[in-house]
Amino acid sequence: MQIHQRTIGDVTIIDLHGKMTLGEGDELLRDKVNSLIQQGQKRLVLNLGEVPYIDSAGLGEIVRTYTTVSRQGGALKLLALTKRITDLLAITKLLTIFETFDTEAEAVNSFGPTGA
């Protein structure tokens, strides 16, 4: 898995590319998010549009990321979920926890006026 980050205003967008599975992506995401939080970046959007598959370890890492960011007073929102990921989140009842968006503009604007 590859991770790229971009910033729009004070919102950091984390673009994920590839499968998010045990040993392939879960640790990369953890390291990236921890680094961003240490830099004071607490408004995060996880772009999952290029993630074809997430296993239980990957899903656990997304939940852990959400918890870590929330405890630091920040927010994590999900962007561009595929049908497979949407179904996975619905089955696990996690869809009720995460804010999800179809477009990047909606996700960034959801943080309020300082997010743009």
Side-chain angles (χ1 to χ4, degrees):
M1 187 175 84
Q2 295 178 326
I3 298 179
H4 303 283
Q5 85 180 54
R6 302 176 282 124
T7 304
I8 298 176
D10 63 351
V11 177
T12 301
I13 297 160
I14 303 168
D15 296 312
L16 304 178
H17 301 273
K19 293 180 180 176
M20 192 168 174
T21 58
L22 180 63
E24 183 182 341
D26 59 336
E27 292 176 8
L28 285 172
L29 180 60
R30 179 181 309 135
D31 293 344
K32 173 57 78 179
V33 169
N34 287 340
S35 170
L36 289 170
I37 288 174
Q38 288 175 355
Q39 296 169 30
Q41 300 288 329
K42 295 181 183 172
R43 292 173 166 221
L44 306 178
V45 174
L46 210 53
N47 182 355
L48 300 170
E50 298 295 321
V51 177
Y53 179 78
I54 296 179
D55 72 358
S56 59
L59 189 59
E61 191 53 40
I62 291 174
V63 171
R64 191 203 66 77
T65 298
Y66 176 84
T67 304
T68 300
V69 173
S70 297
R71 284 185 181 153
Q72 295 296 320
L76 175 74
K77 304 188 182 192
L78 305 181
L79 171 64
L81 302 182
T82 63
K83 181 178 180 345
R84 172 177 263 161
I85 294 172
T86 301
D87 291 346
L88 177 64
L89 292 176
I91 289 168
T92 57
K93 304 283 191 237
L94 292 171
L95 205 52
T96 60
I97 294 173
F98 293 106
E99 280 188 74
T100 62
F101 299 90
D102 294 329
T103 69
E104 189 173 290
E106 289 175 332
V108 171
N109 290 336
S110 72
F111 286 99
T114 57

